[in-house]
Protein backbone atom coordinates (compact mmCIF):
# COMPACT_ATOMS: atom_id res chain seq x y z
CA UNK A 1 0.00 0.00 0.00
CA UNK A 2 2.96 2.36 0.57
CA UNK A 3 3.79 2.28 -3.13
CA UNK A 4 0.19 3.18 -3.91
CA UNK A 5 0.83 6.66 -2.56
CA UNK A 6 3.35 7.33 -5.28
CA UNK A 7 0.84 6.27 -7.94
CA UNK A 8 -1.39 9.17 -6.87
CA UNK A 9 -0.44 12.45 -8.54
CA UNK A 10 1.01 15.25 -6.44
CA UNK A 11 -0.91 18.42 -7.10
CA UNK A 12 0.51 21.85 -7.82
CA UNK A 13 -0.76 24.88 -5.98
CA UNK A 14 -2.92 25.85 -8.97
CA UNK A 15 -4.46 22.37 -9.07
CA UNK A 16 -5.15 22.49 -5.32
CA UNK A 17 -6.68 25.95 -5.77
CA UNK A 18 -8.95 24.57 -8.50
CA UNK A 19 -10.14 21.80 -6.14
CA UNK A 20 -10.77 24.39 -3.44
CA UNK A 21 -12.78 26.54 -5.83
CA UNK A 22 -14.87 23.53 -6.86
CA UNK A 23 -15.69 22.82 -3.23
CA UNK A 24 -16.49 26.48 -2.65
CA UNK A 25 -18.89 26.53 -5.60
CA UNK A 26 -20.60 23.41 -4.28
CA UNK A 27 -20.91 25.03 -0.87
CA UNK A 28 -22.37 28.16 -2.45
CA UNK A 29 -25.10 26.05 -4.05
CA UNK A 30 -26.04 24.71 -0.59
CA UNK A 31 -24.80 27.39 1.81
CA UNK A 32 -26.89 26.22 4.74
CA UNK A 33 -27.30 22.42 4.69
CA UNK A 34 -30.22 21.28 6.81
CA UNK A 35 -29.72 18.80 9.64
CA UNK A 36 -30.82 15.80 7.58
CA UNK A 37 -27.99 16.42 5.10
CA UNK A 38 -25.41 16.94 7.84
CA UNK A 39 -26.56 13.86 9.72
CA UNK A 40 -26.38 11.81 6.50
CA UNK A 41 -22.74 12.87 6.03
CA UNK A 42 -21.91 12.02 9.63
CA UNK A 43 -23.52 8.60 9.27
CA UNK A 44 -21.55 8.07 6.07
CA UNK A 45 -18.34 8.80 7.98
CA UNK A 46 -19.46 6.43 10.73
CA UNK A 47 -20.14 3.72 8.17
CA UNK A 48 -16.76 4.29 6.49
CA UNK A 49 -15.00 3.61 9.79
CA UNK A 50 -17.08 0.65 10.90
CA UNK A 51 -16.98 -1.12 7.53
CA UNK A 52 -13.23 -0.60 7.07
CA UNK A 53 -12.00 -0.86 10.63
CA UNK A 54 -9.52 -3.68 9.96
CA UNK A 55 -8.08 -1.99 6.88
CA UNK A 56 -7.62 1.32 8.70
CA UNK A 57 -5.84 -0.40 11.58
CA UNK A 58 -3.61 -2.32 9.16
CA UNK A 59 -2.66 0.86 7.29
CA UNK A 60 -1.59 2.60 10.51
CA UNK A 61 0.43 -0.46 11.49
CA UNK A 62 2.13 -0.51 8.09
CA UNK A 63 3.16 3.13 8.36
CA UNK A 64 4.53 2.74 11.88
CA UNK A 65 6.34 -0.55 11.30
CA UNK A 66 4.52 -1.82 14.37
CA UNK A 67 1.64 -0.26 16.22
CA UNK A 68 -0.58 -2.56 18.28
CA UNK A 69 -3.99 -2.90 16.66
CA UNK A 70 -5.54 -2.48 20.10
CA UNK A 71 -3.97 0.98 20.47
CA UNK A 72 -5.25 2.14 17.10
CA UNK A 73 -8.69 0.84 18.03
CA UNK A 74 -8.72 2.40 21.50
CA UNK A 75 -6.87 5.66 20.90
CA UNK A 76 -8.13 6.54 17.43
CA UNK A 77 -11.28 4.75 16.32
CA UNK A 78 -13.13 4.64 19.64
CA UNK A 79 -12.91 8.42 20.30
CA UNK A 80 -13.75 9.26 16.67
CA UNK A 81 -16.85 7.06 16.75
CA UNK A 82 -17.81 8.53 20.14
CA UNK A 83 -17.47 12.02 18.66
CA UNK A 84 -19.69 11.13 15.69
CA UNK A 85 -22.29 9.61 18.02
CA UNK A 86 -22.23 12.76 20.17
CA UNK A 87 -22.61 15.01 17.11
CA UNK A 88 -25.53 12.96 15.80
CA UNK A 89 -27.31 13.29 19.15
CA UNK A 90 -26.61 16.97 19.74
CA UNK A 91 -25.94 18.53 16.33
CA UNK A 92 -29.51 19.57 15.56
CA UNK A 93 -29.60 21.46 18.86
CA UNK A 94 -26.26 23.14 18.08
CA UNK A 95 -27.76 24.50 14.84
CA UNK A 96 -30.55 26.40 16.57
CA UNK A 97 -30.62 30.18 16.69
CA UNK A 98 -29.10 31.43 19.95
CA UNK A 99 -31.12 34.23 21.48
CA UNK A 100 -29.12 37.18 22.78
CA UNK A 101 -30.47 40.11 24.77
CA UNK A 102 -29.50 43.43 23.18
CA UNK A 103 -30.35 45.81 26.03
CA UNK A 104 -33.08 48.31 26.71
CA UNK A 105 -31.32 51.18 24.92
CA UNK A 106 -32.08 49.54 21.55
CA UNK A 107 -35.76 48.91 22.41
CA UNK A 108 -37.71 47.21 20.91
CA UNK A 109 -34.96 45.34 19.03
CA UNK A 110 -34.25 41.62 19.50
CA UNK A 111 -31.04 39.75 18.76
CA UNK A 112 -29.69 36.31 18.13
CA UNK A 113 -26.73 34.41 16.70
CA UNK A 114 -27.14 32.19 13.67
CA UNK A 115 -24.56 29.37 13.37
CA UNK A 116 -23.50 29.38 9.73
CA UNK A 117 -20.97 27.09 7.98
CA UNK A 118 -17.65 28.81 7.36
CA UNK A 119 -17.40 27.20 3.91
CA UNK A 120 -14.39 25.05 3.07
CA UNK A 121 -12.17 23.84 5.92
CA UNK A 122 -8.56 22.75 5.41
CA UNK A 123 -7.40 20.07 7.89
CA UNK A 124 -3.66 19.36 8.17
CA UNK A 125 -2.87 16.07 9.90
CA UNK A 126 0.35 14.77 11.55
CA UNK A 127 1.62 11.20 11.38
CA UNK A 128 1.27 10.14 15.02
CA UNK A 129 -2.54 9.76 15.11
CA UNK A 130 -3.53 10.02 11.45
CA UNK A 131 -7.10 8.72 11.93
CA UNK A 132 -8.09 10.52 15.13
CA UNK A 133 -6.56 13.83 14.00
CA UNK A 134 -8.20 13.75 10.57
CA UNK A 135 -11.58 12.13 11.20
CA UNK A 136 -12.11 13.90 14.54
CA UNK A 137 -11.91 17.41 13.05
CA UNK A 138 -13.82 16.16 10.00
CA UNK A 139 -16.70 15.27 12.33
CA UNK A 140 -16.95 18.84 13.59
CA UNK A 141 -16.60 20.28 10.09
CA UNK A 142 -19.41 18.11 8.69
CA UNK A 143 -21.69 18.74 11.68
CA UNK A 144 -21.20 22.47 11.08
CA UNK A 145 -22.20 22.04 7.42
CA UNK A 146 -18.81 22.62 5.76
CA UNK A 147 -16.94 21.04 2.85
CA UNK A 148 -13.46 19.75 3.68
CA UNK A 149 -9.98 19.26 2.23
CA UNK A 150 -7.67 17.00 4.27
CA UNK A 151 -3.87 16.98 3.97
CA UNK A 152 -2.26 13.85 5.45
CA UNK A 153 1.40 13.59 6.41
CA UNK A 154 4.00 12.33 3.95
CA UNK A 155 5.00 9.93 6.75
CA UNK A 156 1.59 8.21 6.54
CA UNK A 157 1.64 6.84 2.96
CA UNK A 158 -0.41 3.71 3.63
CA UNK A 159 -3.06 5.63 5.55
CA UNK A 160 -3.14 8.24 2.78
CA UNK A 161 -3.60 5.67 0.03
CA UNK A 162 -6.43 3.99 1.91
CA UNK A 163 -8.11 7.22 2.99
CA UNK A 164 -7.87 8.61 -0.54
CA UNK A 165 -9.76 5.56 -1.80
CA UNK A 166 -12.31 5.37 1.01
CA UNK A 167 -13.20 9.04 1.03
CA UNK A 168 -13.60 8.84 -2.74
CA UNK A 169 -15.83 5.76 -2.36
CA UNK A 170 -18.05 7.10 0.43
CA UNK A 171 -18.21 10.84 -0.23
CA UNK A 172 -18.86 12.96 -3.27
CA UNK A 173 -15.75 14.85 -4.50
CA UNK A 174 -17.62 18.09 -3.80
CA UNK A 175 -18.00 17.14 -0.10
CA UNK A 176 -14.63 15.84 1.16
CA UNK A 177 -11.28 15.28 -0.54
CA UNK A 178 -7.97 13.91 0.78
CA UNK A 179 -4.42 14.71 -0.29
CA UNK A 180 -0.95 13.54 0.64
CA UNK A 181 2.32 14.84 -0.73
CA UNK A 182 5.53 16.12 0.79
CA UNK A 183 6.55 19.36 2.45
CA UNK A 184 6.21 21.42 -0.73
CA UNK A 185 2.60 20.34 -1.19
CA UNK A 186 1.89 20.98 2.47
CA UNK A 187 3.16 24.55 2.05
CA UNK A 188 0.99 24.99 -1.02
CA UNK A 189 -1.99 23.56 0.86
CA UNK A 190 -1.83 25.95 3.84
CA UNK A 191 -1.28 28.95 1.54
CA UNK A 192 -4.70 28.41 -0.08
CA UNK A 193 -7.50 30.86 0.85
CA UNK A 194 -9.52 28.41 2.95
CA UNK A 195 -12.37 29.67 5.06
CA UNK A 196 -10.54 28.08 8.00
CA UNK A 197 -7.46 25.93 8.62
CA UNK A 198 -7.18 23.40 11.42
CA UNK A 199 -3.57 22.31 11.93
CA UNK A 200 -2.19 19.74 14.35
CA UNK A 201 1.58 19.46 14.68
CA UNK A 202 4.69 21.03 16.18
CA UNK A 203 4.90 24.59 17.45
CA UNK A 204 7.58 25.52 14.88
CA UNK A 205 5.51 24.28 11.94
CA UNK A 206 2.44 25.88 13.48
CA UNK A 207 4.15 29.27 13.23
CA UNK A 208 4.77 28.77 9.52
CA UNK A 209 1.15 27.66 9.00
CA UNK A 210 -0.10 30.77 10.77
CA UNK A 211 2.20 32.95 8.65
CA UNK A 212 0.92 31.37 5.44
CA UNK A 213 -2.69 31.68 6.57
CA UNK A 214 -2.17 35.34 7.45
CA UNK A 215 -1.55 36.10 3.79
CA UNK A 216 -5.21 35.25 3.12
CA UNK A 217 -6.50 36.37 6.53
CA UNK A 218 -7.59 32.76 7.00
CA UNK A 219 -8.61 31.98 10.60
CA UNK A 220 -6.68 29.11 12.16
CA UNK A 221 -7.15 26.55 14.90
CA UNK A 222 -3.69 25.37 15.93
CA UNK A 223 -3.21 22.26 18.05
CA UNK A 224 0.49 22.28 18.83
CA UNK A 225 2.86 20.58 21.23
CA UNK A 226 4.83 21.52 24.29
CA UNK A 227 6.26 19.83 27.33
CA UNK A 228 3.25 18.57 29.25
CA UNK A 229 4.08 18.07 32.95
CA UNK A 230 2.84 15.43 35.33
CA UNK A 231 2.82 16.86 38.85
CA UNK A 232 2.83 14.40 41.75
CA UNK A 233 1.84 15.88 45.12
CA UNK A 234 2.85 14.44 48.48
CA UNK A 235 -0.55 13.11 49.52
CA UNK A 236 -1.51 11.36 46.27
CA UNK A 237 -1.82 7.62 45.74
CA UNK A 238 1.80 7.27 44.59
CA UNK A 239 1.55 3.81 43.04
CA UNK A 240 -1.55 4.79 41.10
CA UNK A 241 0.04 8.04 39.96
CA UNK A 242 3.14 6.31 38.60
CA UNK A 243 1.14 3.60 36.85
CA UNK A 244 -1.13 6.11 35.12
CA UNK A 245 1.73 8.39 34.14
CA UNK A 246 3.53 5.40 32.69
CA UNK A 247 0.52 4.29 30.67
CA UNK A 248 0.01 7.79 29.27
CA UNK A 249 3.69 8.04 28.43
CA UNK A 250 4.18 4.68 26.74
CA UNK A 251 1.07 4.14 24.60
CA UNK A 252 1.94 4.72 20.95
CA UNK A 253 5.59 4.54 21.97
CA UNK A 254 5.28 7.96 23.59
CA UNK A 255 4.42 9.57 20.24
CA UNK A 256 1.43 11.46 21.63
CA UNK A 257 1.06 15.24 21.72
CA UNK A 258 -0.51 15.14 25.20
CA UNK A 259 1.79 12.46 26.65
CA UNK A 260 3.43 13.39 29.98
CA UNK A 261 6.77 14.90 28.97
CA UNK A 262 8.37 15.16 32.41
CA UNK A 263 7.44 14.41 36.01
CA UNK A 264 7.64 16.87 38.88
CA UNK A 265 7.75 14.88 42.12
CA UNK A 266 8.71 15.52 45.76
CA UNK A 267 12.47 15.40 46.22
CA UNK A 268 13.60 12.04 47.54
CA UNK A 269 10.90 10.03 45.77
CA UNK A 270 12.91 9.44 42.58
CA UNK A 271 14.04 5.96 43.60
CA UNK A 272 10.48 5.05 44.56
CA UNK A 273 9.24 6.28 41.18
CA UNK A 274 11.79 4.21 39.27
CA UNK A 275 10.98 1.05 41.26
CA UNK A 276 7.23 1.40 40.71
CA UNK A 277 7.71 2.36 37.05
CA UNK A 278 9.85 -0.73 36.41
CA UNK A 279 7.28 -2.97 38.02
CA UNK A 280 4.49 -1.49 35.92
CA UNK A 281 6.51 -1.47 32.69
CA UNK A 282 7.22 -5.18 33.11
CA UNK A 283 3.52 -5.78 33.78
CA UNK A 284 2.45 -3.82 30.70
CA UNK A 285 5.12 -5.18 28.35
CA UNK A 286 6.18 -8.63 29.55
CA UNK A 287 7.33 -9.59 26.05
CA UNK A 288 8.74 -6.32 24.72
CA UNK A 289 8.49 -5.26 21.92
CA UNK A 290 5.14 -7.03 21.62
CA UNK A 291 2.31 -4.56 22.36
CA UNK A 292 4.74 -1.63 22.01
CA UNK A 293 4.71 0.82 19.10
CA UNK A 294 7.89 1.36 17.16
CA UNK A 295 9.18 4.81 16.35
CA UNK A 296 7.18 5.75 13.28
CA UNK A 297 10.16 6.87 11.18
CA UNK A 298 13.90 6.35 11.03
CA UNK A 299 14.43 10.03 11.82
CA UNK A 300 12.22 9.72 14.90
CA UNK A 301 14.28 6.75 16.13
CA UNK A 302 17.52 8.65 15.49
CA UNK A 303 16.20 11.63 17.41
CA UNK A 304 15.41 9.43 20.44
CA UNK A 305 18.92 8.00 20.36
CA UNK A 306 20.49 11.45 20.05
CA UNK A 307 18.48 12.92 22.95
CA UNK A 308 19.28 9.88 25.10
CA UNK A 309 23.02 10.01 24.34
CA UNK A 310 23.23 13.76 24.89
CA UNK A 311 21.58 13.45 28.31
CA UNK A 312 24.17 10.87 29.39
CA UNK A 313 26.99 13.05 28.10
CA UNK A 314 25.69 15.95 30.20
CA UNK A 315 25.68 13.79 33.32
CA UNK A 316 22.11 12.52 33.57
CA UNK A 317 21.47 8.97 34.73
CA UNK A 318 19.28 6.73 32.55
CA UNK A 319 17.20 4.04 34.24
CA UNK A 320 15.86 1.44 31.83
CA UNK A 321 12.37 0.31 32.71
CA UNK A 322 12.77 -2.97 30.81
CA UNK A 323 16.33 -4.07 31.61
CA UNK A 324 16.53 -6.72 28.87
CA UNK A 325 15.14 -4.43 26.14
CA UNK A 326 17.52 -2.77 23.71
CA UNK A 327 17.15 -0.08 21.07
CA UNK A 328 17.06 -1.49 17.54
CA UNK A 329 17.56 0.88 14.60
CA UNK A 330 16.35 -1.73 12.10
CA UNK A 331 12.94 -2.31 13.71
CA UNK A 332 12.90 1.23 15.20
CA UNK A 333 11.97 -0.01 18.67
CA UNK A 334 13.24 2.26 21.43
CA UNK A 335 12.77 0.99 25.00
CA UNK A 336 11.47 3.25 27.78
CA UNK A 337 13.83 5.14 30.09
CA UNK A 338 13.43 7.33 33.16
CA UNK A 339 16.15 9.92 33.82
CA UNK A 340 17.46 11.55 36.99
CA UNK A 341 19.99 14.31 37.49
CA UNK A 342 19.05 15.92 34.21
CA UNK A 343 20.66 19.33 33.57
CA UNK A 344 18.28 22.11 32.54
CA UNK A 345 20.10 22.60 29.23
CA UNK A 346 19.52 19.00 28.18
CA UNK A 347 17.13 18.41 25.29
CA UNK A 348 15.26 16.13 27.69
CA UNK A 349 14.08 19.26 29.47
CA UNK A 350 14.06 21.78 26.63
CA UNK A 351 12.28 19.94 23.78
CA UNK A 352 9.02 18.08 23.44
CA UNK A 353 10.24 14.48 23.53
CA UNK A 354 7.58 12.57 21.58
CA UNK A 355 8.99 9.22 22.63
CA UNK A 356 9.42 6.82 25.59
CA UNK A 357 11.87 9.08 27.47
CA UNK A 358 10.76 10.50 30.82
CA UNK A 359 12.91 12.88 32.91
CA UNK A 360 12.20 13.30 36.63
CA UNK A 361 12.40 16.80 38.16
CA UNK A 362 12.42 16.83 41.97
CA UNK A 363 10.96 19.79 43.90
CA UNK A 364 11.01 20.90 47.54
CA UNK A 365 7.75 22.86 47.73
CA UNK A 366 4.60 23.15 45.65
CA UNK A 367 5.45 26.80 44.97
CA UNK A 368 8.76 25.66 43.46
CA UNK A 369 7.00 23.12 41.26
CA UNK A 370 4.46 25.67 40.03
CA UNK A 371 7.22 28.18 39.32
CA UNK A 372 8.98 25.51 37.24
CA UNK A 373 5.84 25.04 35.13
CA UNK A 374 5.13 28.76 34.83
CA UNK A 375 8.69 29.63 33.82
CA UNK A 376 8.18 27.62 30.64
CA UNK A 377 5.81 27.96 27.65
CA UNK A 378 2.24 26.94 28.40
CA UNK A 379 1.86 23.18 27.80
CA UNK A 380 -0.85 21.45 25.81
CA UNK A 381 -1.72 19.27 28.80
CA UNK A 382 -1.15 19.21 32.54
CA UNK A 383 -1.60 16.22 34.83
CA UNK A 384 -1.86 16.64 38.58
CA UNK A 385 -2.06 13.76 41.04
CA UNK A 386 -3.52 14.60 44.43
CA UNK A 387 -6.19 13.52 46.90
CA UNK A 388 -6.74 17.15 47.91
CA UNK A 389 -9.41 19.16 46.10
CA UNK A 390 -7.89 22.31 47.58
CA UNK A 391 -4.45 21.48 46.19
CA UNK A 392 -5.92 20.61 42.79
CA UNK A 393 -7.77 23.94 42.74
CA UNK A 394 -4.55 25.77 43.63
CA UNK A 395 -2.70 24.11 40.74
CA UNK A 396 -5.55 24.90 38.33
CA UNK A 397 -5.67 28.54 39.38
CA UNK A 398 -1.92 29.15 39.24
CA UNK A 399 -1.01 27.43 35.97
CA UNK A 400 -1.98 27.68 32.30
CA UNK A 401 -2.41 24.62 30.09
CA UNK A 402 -4.50 23.66 27.09
CA UNK A 403 -6.29 20.99 29.13
CA UNK A 404 -5.98 19.22 32.46
CA UNK A 405 -6.65 15.72 33.74
CA UNK A 406 -6.61 15.20 37.50
CA UNK A 407 -5.42 11.81 38.79
CA UNK A 408 -4.99 10.35 35.31
CA UNK A 409 -3.44 11.12 31.93
CA UNK A 410 -4.74 11.64 28.37
CA UNK A 411 -8.44 11.31 29.21
CA UNK A 412 -9.48 14.94 28.77
CA UNK A 413 -8.71 14.66 25.05
CA UNK A 414 -10.98 11.60 24.75
CA UNK A 415 -14.09 13.37 26.08
CA UNK A 416 -16.22 14.51 23.13
CA UNK A 417 -18.07 16.83 25.50
CA UNK A 418 -14.91 18.79 26.44
CA UNK A 419 -13.03 21.14 24.11
CA UNK A 420 -9.52 20.15 23.08
CA UNK A 421 -7.03 22.90 22.40
CA UNK A 422 -3.87 24.65 23.44
CA UNK A 423 -2.97 27.99 24.94
CA UNK A 424 -0.02 30.22 24.09
CA UNK A 425 2.78 28.24 22.50
CA UNK A 426 0.70 25.04 22.63
CA UNK A 427 -1.95 26.39 20.29
CA UNK A 428 -5.05 28.51 19.82
CA UNK A 429 -8.69 27.64 19.39
CA UNK A 430 -10.34 24.37 20.34
CA UNK A 431 -12.56 21.70 18.91
CA UNK A 432 -14.47 18.48 19.82
CA UNK A 433 -18.22 18.34 20.32
CA UNK A 434 -20.10 21.63 20.45
CA UNK A 435 -16.82 23.52 20.64
CA UNK A 436 -15.76 21.97 17.34
CA UNK A 437 -19.13 22.86 15.81
CA UNK A 438 -18.75 26.45 17.03
CA UNK A 439 -15.10 26.69 15.94
CA UNK A 440 -16.03 25.67 12.39
CA UNK A 441 -19.11 27.89 12.23
CA UNK A 442 -19.52 31.63 11.97
CA UNK A 443 -21.86 32.55 14.80
CA UNK A 444 -23.42 35.37 12.83
CA UNK A 445 -24.96 38.09 15.04
CA UNK A 446 -28.35 39.34 13.88
CA UNK A 447 -30.42 42.25 15.23
CA UNK A 448 -34.04 42.82 14.26
CA UNK A 449 -35.58 46.21 14.84
CA UNK A 450 -39.30 46.97 15.22
CA UNK A 451 -41.43 49.51 13.36
CA UNK A 452 -40.89 52.09 16.14
CA UNK A 453 -37.47 52.67 17.69
CA UNK A 454 -36.07 54.74 20.52
CA UNK A 455 -33.37 56.05 18.18
CA UNK A 456 -36.00 58.13 16.35
CA UNK A 457 -36.07 60.49 19.36
CA UNK A 458 -32.30 61.02 19.01
CA UNK A 459 -32.24 62.04 15.36
CA UNK A 460 -31.37 65.55 14.13
CA UNK A 461 -32.08 68.38 14.55
CA UNK A 462 -30.30 68.12 17.91
CA UNK A 463 -31.55 70.18 20.79
CA UNK A 464 -32.67 70.07 24.36
CA UNK A 465 -34.61 66.80 23.89
CA UNK A 466 -31.49 65.10 22.57
CA UNK A 467 -29.43 66.35 25.51
CA UNK A 468 -32.01 65.12 28.04
CA UNK A 469 -32.28 61.67 26.43
CA UNK A 470 -28.50 61.17 26.11
CA UNK A 471 -28.07 62.21 29.73
CA UNK A 472 -30.72 59.63 30.66
CA UNK A 473 -29.09 56.92 28.50
CA UNK A 474 -25.68 57.51 30.10
CA UNK A 475 -26.84 57.93 33.69
Amino acid sequence: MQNAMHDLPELTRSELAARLNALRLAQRSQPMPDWSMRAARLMTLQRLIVENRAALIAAVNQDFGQRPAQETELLELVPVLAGIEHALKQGKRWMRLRRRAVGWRLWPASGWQMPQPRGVIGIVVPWNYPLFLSLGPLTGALAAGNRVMIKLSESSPAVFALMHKLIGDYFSPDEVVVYGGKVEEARAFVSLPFDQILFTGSTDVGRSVMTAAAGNLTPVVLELGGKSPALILDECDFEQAVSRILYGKLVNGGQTCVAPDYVLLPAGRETDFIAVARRWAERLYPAFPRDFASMATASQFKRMQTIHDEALTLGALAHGLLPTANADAVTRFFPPFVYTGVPDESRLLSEELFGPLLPLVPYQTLDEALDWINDRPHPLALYVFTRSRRAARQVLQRTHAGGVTINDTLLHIAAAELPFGGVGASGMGAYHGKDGFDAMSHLKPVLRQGPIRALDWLAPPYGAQFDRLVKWLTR
Side-chain angles (χ1 to χ4, degrees):
M1 194 177 292
Q2 281 186 310
N3 292 333
M5 177 179 179
H6 304 294
D7 296 334
L8 299 170
E10 292 189 2
L11 301 179
T12 65
R13 189 184 188 284
S14 61
E15 290 169 328
L16 286 167
R19 300 291 177 89
L20 172 59
N21 288 335
L23 286 168
R24 184 163 283 136
L25 286 172
Q27 183 72 7
R28 188 180 300 172
S29 69
Q30 294 175 316
M32 197 72 179
D34 60 19
W35 175 243
S36 63
M37 179 176 290
R38 301 184 195 197
R41 290 172 179 168
L42 289 170
M43 287 186 284
T44 296
L45 180 59
Q46 187 179 53
R47 189 162 50 86
L48 181 155
I49 296 168
V50 171
E51 293 176 356
N52 299 279
R53 178 175 273 154
L56 290 166
I57 290 170
V60 173
N61 183 67
Q62 182 175 339
D63 283 335
F64 266 75
Q66 175 175 300
R67 203 235 233 151
Q70 296 86 346
E71 290 191 1
T72 299
E73 184 89 41
L74 179 64
L75 302 177
E76 300 214 61
L77 300 187
V78 168
V80 169
L81 290 170
I84 295 171
E85 179 182 344
H86 181 60
L88 285 169
K89 287 181 178 178
Q90 303 295 332
K92 191 173 183 178
R93 182 178 294 111
W94 299 338
M95 288 179 63
R96 293 175 182 169
L97 300 181
R98 305 176 189 188
R99 297 292 174 184
R100 301 293 293 268
V102 295
W104 60 270
R105 290 175 177 83
L106 294 179
W107 180 88
S110 59
W112 63 88
Q113 286 180 292
M114 182 183 81
Q116 186 173 32
R118 286 189 180 270
V120 183
I121 309 293
I123 299 174
V124 185
V125 186
W127 50 263
N128 60 324
Y129 286 91
L131 304 179
F132 179 54
L133 296 175
S134 60
L135 304 181
L138 178 59
T139 299
L142 295 178
N146 298 287
R147 316 273 169 154
V148 182
M149 291 174 67
I150 299 173
K151 167 65 178 71
L152 288 164
S153 169
E154 69 275 12
S155 297
S156 304
V159 171
F160 164 62
L162 180 61
M163 285 278 286
H164 185 273
K165 178 183 184 304
L166 293 179
I167 291 292
D169 289 345
Y170 283 76
F171 287 93
S172 165
D174 65 3
E175 292 177 321
V176 184
V177 290
V178 176
Y179 300 108
K182 298 181 181 177
V183 174
E184 295 76 15
E185 191 170 21
R187 291 193 182 113
F189 188 91
V190 298
S191 69
L192 296 174
F194 287 106
D195 297 296
Q196 185 175 45
I197 290 175
L198 193 151
F199 168 82
T200 305
S202 71
T203 300
D204 287 342
V205 178
R207 290 190 181 96
S208 65
V209 170
M210 191 171 181
T211 299
N216 298 307
L217 295 180
T218 300
V220 294
V221 174
L222 302 178
E223 306 304 341
L224 309 177
K227 294 191 70 64
S228 297
L231 173 59
I232 295 178
L233 302 189
D234 263 323
E235 29 56 49
C236 77
D237 183 327
F238 190 81
E239 175 103 9
Q240 182 185 85
V242 176
S243 69
R244 293 180 179 180
I245 290 170
L246 205 65
Y247 176 82
K249 181 62 176 176
L250 298 186
V251 291
N252 203 33
Q255 298 163 110
T256 304
C257 59
V258 291
D261 218 56
Y262 64 97
V263 177
L264 285 158
L265 77 171
R269 301 300 305 270
E270 299 94 322
T271 300
D272 296 336
F273 187 100
I274 294 164
V276 175
R278 279 178 170 157
R279 186 164 65 249
W280 275 95
E282 290 170 358
R283 181 181 300 183
L284 294 172
Y285 306 104
F288 182 89
R290 195 191 73 194
D291 297 331
F292 200 84
S294 61
M295 297 298 97
T297 65
S299 62
Q300 178 71 354
F301 177 91
K302 183 178 179 181
R303 182 171 173 271
M304 290 301 100
Q305 190 68 63
T306 301
I307 292 174
H308 173 83
D309 293 344
E310 182 222 52
L312 299 185
T313 300
L314 292 175
L317 297 177
H319 309 271
L321 299 186
L322 297 168
T324 61
N326 297 304
D328 187 333
V330 175
T331 59
R332 302 197 303 272
F333 285 112
F334 203 95
F337 286 92
V338 168
Y339 301 83
T340 55
V342 182
D344 288 358
E345 66 271 20
S346 168
R347 292 174 68 182
L348 279 172
L349 290 179
S350 61
E351 295 183 11
E352 183 182 10
L353 297 176
F354 231 63
L357 317 179
L358 187 62
L360 303 184
V361 180
Y363 68 86
Q364 298 292 337
T365 66
L366 179 57
D367 285 343
E368 180 186 335
L370 297 180
D371 285 343
W372 176 276
I373 295 170
N374 290 328
D375 286 343
R376 286 154 179 79
H378 300 327
L380 186 57
L382 169 65
Y383 305 111
V384 55
F385 293 85
T386 177
R387 288 190 175 102
S388 167
R389 291 181 180 270
R390 180 179 179 183
R393 185 166 58 249
Q394 183 180 3
V395 174
L396 291 172
Q397 291 174 345
R398 292 181 56 186
T399 59
H400 288 274
V404 179
T405 295
I406 299 172
N407 292 326
D408 212 329
T409 58
L410 309 185
L411 293 186
H412 65 282
I413 193 177
E417 300 79 6
L418 288 175
F420 168 59
V423 59
S426 60
M428 62 179 65
Y431 67 102
H432 285 188
K434 181 177 181 294
D435 298 274
F437 177 94
D438 288 354
M440 288 179 263
S441 300
H442 173 51
L443 303 180
K444 182 187 290 184
V446 181
L447 182 142
R448 173 185 285 155
Q449 187 55 280
I452 301 173
R453 60 177 189 162
L455 190 61
D456 292 331
W457 300 323
L458 295 169
Y462 301 121
Q465 174 179 281
F466 178 91
D467 293 340
R468 286 194 302 272
L469 287 174
V470 167
K471 186 174 180 179
W472 179 65
L473 289 171
T474 56
R475 71 189 189 281

